[in-house]
Amino acid sequence: MKNDNENLMEKIVSLCKRRGFIFPGSEIYGGLAGTWDWGHFGLALKNNMKQSWWKKFVDSRRDMYGVDAAILMRQEVWQATGHVANFADPMVECEKCKKRFRADQIEDKIKCANCEGKLGEAKQFNMMFQTRVGASEDSSSISYLRPETAQGMFVNFKNTVDAFHPKLPFGMAQIGKAFRNEITPRDFIFRQREFEQMEIEYFVRPEDWEKYFEYFKDEMLEWMEEVGIDMAGVHELEVPDEDRAFYSKKTVDFEFDYPFGRKELFGLAYRTDYDLSTHKLEYIDEEKGEKMVPHVIEPSFGVDRAVLALLISAYAEDLPTGQAGEKGDEPRAFLKFKPSIAPVICAVSPLLKNKPELVEYANTKVFAPLKAEFGRVAWDDNGNIGKRYRRQDEIGTPFCIVVDFDTLTDDAVTVRDRDTGEQERVKVSDLISYIKNKF
Ligand code: ATP
């Protein structure tokens, strides 16, 4: 028997596939472990999260500089930072079935969970994907797919300082892909081999690090709440010395209560002057008239984990009220996204799709102006109204707008609220402001 948490994950994974959010990578060839492909609605949700992040941490500030660095970098970058030597997880292999496990994630360190064979000694397994750049086969052509976006910012520290002359404290921000050859990718999009990060490197005077560490902790929490992550499920954990990444002097993990356990959502690290020093970079502090190496506070967000936490926070079920036009006792599933984050803000339907006068009105007087205003507007005339509501509920569309026969005479439409199922009659000329007011 599956427990409620396993059921919840299954429901979310299946909804994501059915409704075009997230698909297994390379599925028609049997799948590629640790990769997922984003469909139209998942992509819209993910883009909204990224935009909200960029707006808060870059566009609304004066001290932040964006970067979009190449994923491939010279191998010297990763040698200098210690990733080539140290970016590894402990791995054990079963002597019988050869299955590999992350040694720190299994309870039984002796017996294989797959075949009960004997597990070998733990070895360090480097998680960087190695590749070659150019046609040459010698070792100078070795490169790596970046395992974090952070270094793309550090290697552009000098360019940024030279181009913009920022004063301390200031930050660099980047959203982009990162790759880790995880030993056991699992839990849907939680642990993947290809994923996205949103990271900030914030450069401060050494004596100020604690102040900015606390400041970004609050900013991170504020953003989580803003996008709609259930804050009752978010917990702070100060990472003990032995578990911290090799470059960090203090790390706080924000953990989330996923259905598969309390696990890391985002991290906040004090990276000291480790990275700038290893790249032999420095800064001229004009105020003090001296050369110095700034220290770094790094708020690090996983885009995919943010989306997963939001899906879990937003997923709800209830019994239909009847009011909303649904029939039967099957619970309806819906995603309670905020309008600002929802992949679709509103869906427009003519009551009957074989009545040209309704279709014409819905199309030209309702759908077209809403689409021009909000972009994320869906046309839905498939099946009966009850089915359309069910579909839009699963996509998380906050408002369903129906054009009926009365509309033709009173220029008003029915707007149905996703969460309550309540319906309101709204003048077509007031629709845009009605929806804007709900943001
Ligand atoms: P974990 O301990 O879960 O492996 P980590 O501490 O190694 O994660 P960081 O190096 O701090 O992760 O990476 C920053 C953020 O990137 C994480 O907080 C997480 O949101 C995201 N992230 C890291 N690894 C993965 C992955 N394999 N799949 C999806 N997101 C990831």
Side-chain angles (χ1 to χ4, degrees):
M1 264 275 282
K2 289 198 168 121
N3 64 33
D4 286 353
N5 284 332
E6 284 166 333
N7 279 334
L8 175 61
M9 269 321 281
E10 256 178 35
K11 284 178 187 171
I12 289 176
V13 174
S14 135
L15 184 153
C16 283
K17 178 150 196 265
R18 190 169 66 247
R19 293 298 175 211
F21 282 75
I22 302 167
F23 311 120
S26 309
E27 193 183 15
I28 60 169
Y29 286 101
L32 178 63
T35 66
W36 294 87
D37 296 342
W38 294 74
H40 186 72
F41 290 138
L43 190 52
L45 183 64
K46 181 159 83 152
N47 283 340
N48 294 340
M49 300 279 271
K50 291 197 279 185
Q51 273 161 19
S52 128
W53 188 89
W54 195 261
K55 190 168 162 203
K56 176 171 175 63
F57 290 105
V58 183
D59 284 347
S60 70
R61 304 177 62 106
R62 295 164 183 227
D63 58 351
M64 209 61 89
Y65 299 85
V67 186
D68 187 12
I71 285 169
L72 294 171
M73 286 191 264
R74 285 183 67 115
Q75 54 177 296
E76 287 86 340
V77 173
W78 305 109
Q79 282 159 355
T81 57
H83 281 78
V84 172
N86 295 322
F87 196 66
D89 274 340
M91 179 187 74
V92 284
E93 188 177 80
C94 170
E95 290 175 0
K96 197 167 145 203
C97 73
K98 305 291 173 206
K99 204 172 155 75
R100 293 173 161 190
F101 303 90
R102 223 175 103 170
D104 56 340
Q105 283 181 348
I106 49 173
E107 269 168 34
D108 190 337
K109 315 264 184 222
I110 296 163
K111 224 169 25 179
C112 169
N114 188 44
C115 72
E116 306 212 328
K118 186 170 174 286
L119 294 177
E121 286 277 297
K123 291 189 197 121
Q124 289 298 312
F125 173 76
N126 195 297
M127 290 199 291
M128 286 200 294
F129 281 99
Q130 189 179 308
T131 185
R132 285 182 186 278
V133 175
S136 156
E137 289 282 316
D138 69 40
S139 64
S140 68
S141 69
I142 290 176
S143 180
Y144 302 92
L145 301 187
R146 66 180 180 208
E148 57 174 29
T149 56
Q151 295 308 321
M153 289 180 271
F154 293 122
V155 299
N156 283 293
F157 175 79
K158 184 172 183 318
N159 287 332
T160 302
V161 169
D162 290 349
F164 307 106
H165 306 288
K167 293 212 163 38
L168 288 177
F170 72 93
M172 295 172 70
Q174 175 164 230
I175 300 180
K177 288 257 173 157
F179 302 81
R180 295 183 189 176
N181 200 0
E182 296 277 359
I183 299 164
T184 39
R186 59 163 85 169
D187 298 321
F188 193 29
I189 54 172
F190 176 81
R191 189 171 299 288
Q192 299 173 83
R193 291 184 167 135
E194 173 175 346
F195 55 97
E196 261 183 296
Q197 293 183 318
M198 308 185 278
E199 292 193 302
I200 292 167
E201 306 306 330
Y202 200 72
F203 303 99
V204 301
R205 292 200 169 79
E207 63 273 21
D208 290 340
W209 78 266
E210 272 165 313
K211 180 168 97 188
Y212 288 106
F213 194 94
E214 288 307 310
Y215 166 78
F216 274 106
K217 206 159 78 178
D218 293 343
E219 289 289 287
M220 291 177 84
L221 288 164
E222 204 177 278
W223 181 78
M224 293 178 220
E225 189 160 16
E226 239 167 71
V227 291
I229 291 174
D230 175 10
M231 298 310 286
V234 175
H235 309 275
E236 284 173 36
L237 171 83
E238 173 141 9
V239 180
D241 289 0
E242 62 277 15
D243 295 342
R244 261 196 324 261
F246 56 89
Y247 48 71
S248 172
K249 274 259 175 74
K250 177 178 166 115
T251 299
V252 167
D253 279 352
F254 292 99
E255 297 192 310
F256 185 73
D257 292 325
Y258 298 95
F260 43 85
R262 186 176 288 185
K263 301 246 159 86
E264 177 171 339
L265 173 59
F266 306 136
L268 173 63
Y270 168 42
R271 283 178 91 124
T272 66
D273 60 353
Y274 177 80
D275 303 87
L276 292 182
S277 294
T278 44
H279 297 310
K280 302 189 175 49
L281 293 163
E282 56 189 11
Y283 174 86
I284 297 173
D285 189 339
E286 280 164 12
E287 255 172 49
K288 295 194 173 165
E290 63 185 27
K291 282 189 180 165
M292 48 93 64
V293 183
H295 280 216
V296 171
I297 304 297
E298 180 191 65
S300 180
F301 299 72
V303 178
D304 312 77
R305 288 191 191 174
V307 171
L308 181 56
L310 181 61
L311 285 166
I312 292 161
S313 305
Y315 186 89
E317 287 178 356
D318 67 6
L319 283 173
T321 56
Q323 246 185 337
E326 295 99 342
K327 293 198 190 83
D329 288 323
E330 272 278 294
R332 76 169 175 132
F334 59 115
L335 290 168
K336 293 182 293 180
F337 295 135
K338 294 186 176 186
S340 55
I341 290 292
V344 178
I345 295 171
C346 57
V348 177
S349 292
L351 181 65
L352 299 168
K353 70 172 171 188
N354 56 0
K355 295 287 173 198
E357 62 277 34
L358 292 185
V359 174
E360 166 74 11
Y361 192 107
N363 202 356
T364 56
K365 297 203 174 153
V366 183
F367 180 72
L370 287 173
K371 185 88 182 151
E373 178 68 30
F374 297 114
R376 290 179 279 128
V377 178
W379 174 266
D380 194 347
D381 61 5
N382 216 346
N384 64 32
I385 289 288
K387 285 219 176 90
R388 294 178 207 169
Y389 286 163
R390 285 272 173 137
R391 178 166 46 242
Q392 295 302 330
D393 285 345
E394 287 198 346
I395 295 166
T397 308
F399 312 105
C400 282
I401 299 168
V402 177
V403 171
D404 56 28
F405 289 103
D406 290 338
T407 310
L408 302 177
T409 49
D410 67 0
D411 286 314
V413 287
T414 302
V415 181
R416 178 249 192 198
D417 181 280
R418 174 198 61 206
D419 301 343
T420 61
E422 272 164 25
Q423 307 193 6
E424 233 184 295
R425 208 67 192 159
V426 178
K427 280 277 178 207
V428 173
S429 54
D430 295 340
L431 261 181
I432 289 177
S433 57
Y434 173 88
I435 290 173
K436 275 191 178 163
N437 281 339
K438 303 270 182 177
F439 267 60

